[in-house]
């Protein structure tokens, strides 16, 4: 189970999407086995390896079940978020705690990476402006 939140390489749009949807709950499923139902009636069961801010899911040790066809097994699969209809949440997951944990981790990451960079940029611009003003006052 991952409680680290996202890395600093995600976009602001992805981070916002993560906070406005239940994608944060899915992020907590990393490392658990579950079933994903797709829009076209396909069911995929396996271990969730990664979920991104657009709800794209990477899974391993997958059983691919298509209606009226034999089961197929794959070592890994990537599922586009727009194709997902349902994701079964395992009973051992406390949904309220999982959402809270992931949102807190995401907010921590945002403060750690986004705000610090912005503060550095603002300080740099203030120093540049002050230098220009000082140079103008000298002349």
């Amino acid at each position: 189970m991952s409680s680290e939140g996202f890395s600093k390489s995600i976009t602001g749009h992805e981070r916002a999407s993560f906070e406005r949807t239940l994608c944060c709950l899915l992020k907590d499923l990393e490392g658990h086995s579950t079933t994903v139902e797709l829009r076209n009636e396909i069911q995929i069961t396996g271990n969730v390896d990664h979920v991104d801010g657009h709800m794209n899911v990477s899974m391993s040790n997958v059983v691919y079940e298509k209606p009226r066809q034999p089961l197929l097994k794959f070592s890994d699969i990537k599922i586009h978020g727009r194709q997902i209809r349902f994701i079964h949440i395992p009973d051992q997951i406390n949904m309220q705690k999982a959402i809270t944990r992931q949102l807190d981790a995401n907010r921590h990451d945002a403060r750690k990476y986004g705000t610090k960079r912005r503060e550095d940029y603002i300080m740099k611009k203030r120093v540049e402006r002050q230098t220009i003003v000082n140079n103008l006052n000298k002349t």
Side-chain angles (χ1 to χ4, degrees):
M1 171 172 43
S2 173
S3 62
E4 297 174 13
F6 285 111
S7 69
K8 62 183 174 182
S9 63
I10 70 163
T11 64
H13 174 70
E14 195 172 359
R15 187 179 309 280
S17 173
F18 177 81
E19 290 183 350
R20 286 191 316 260
T21 65
L22 287 176
C23 189
C24 55
L25 175 59
L26 303 181
K27 184 75 175 165
D28 207 63
L29 291 179
E30 290 180 352
H32 288 86
S33 180
T34 192
T35 300
V36 177
E37 293 183 29
L38 304 182
R39 289 179 169 187
N40 57 1
E41 306 297 326
I42 293 173
Q43 288 189 356
I44 300 171
T45 303
N47 295 322
V48 178
D49 293 331
H50 181 71
V51 178
D52 68 13
H54 299 292
M55 209 168 78
N56 300 319
V57 179
S58 298
M59 299 176 77
S60 61
N61 301 323
V62 173
V63 176
Y64 185 91
E65 184 178 345
K66 205 170 186 179
R68 298 172 299 282
Q69 291 188 7
L71 298 177
L72 300 171
K73 294 186 179 186
F74 298 101
S75 60
D76 62 350
I77 194 167
K78 295 185 185 348
I79 305 167
H80 193 274
R82 293 183 57 105
Q83 298 303 316
I84 296 173
R85 178 182 292 155
F86 299 113
I87 295 183
H88 296 248
I89 308 297
D91 291 336
Q92 68 265 24
I93 300 290
N94 181 329
M95 289 189 274
Q96 184 176 2
K97 287 182 181 178
I99 291 169
T100 303
R101 182 173 41 248
Q102 289 300 320
L103 286 176
D104 288 346
N106 187 46
R107 287 185 186 122
H108 172 72
D109 283 353
R111 283 192 303 269
K112 183 176 178 183
Y113 298 111
T115 307
K116 178 66 175 150
R117 250 187 279 160
R118 187 166 189 276
E119 289 172 357
D120 291 346
Y121 175 78
I122 290 170
M123 286 303 295
K124 179 181 172 186
K125 288 298 180 184
R126 282 183 185 159
V127 169
E128 287 176 6
R129 271 187 249 129
Q130 189 61 42
T131 304
I132 292 169
V133 169
N134 289 342
N135 288 338
L136 289 174
N137 289 337
K138 287 180 184 177
T139 59

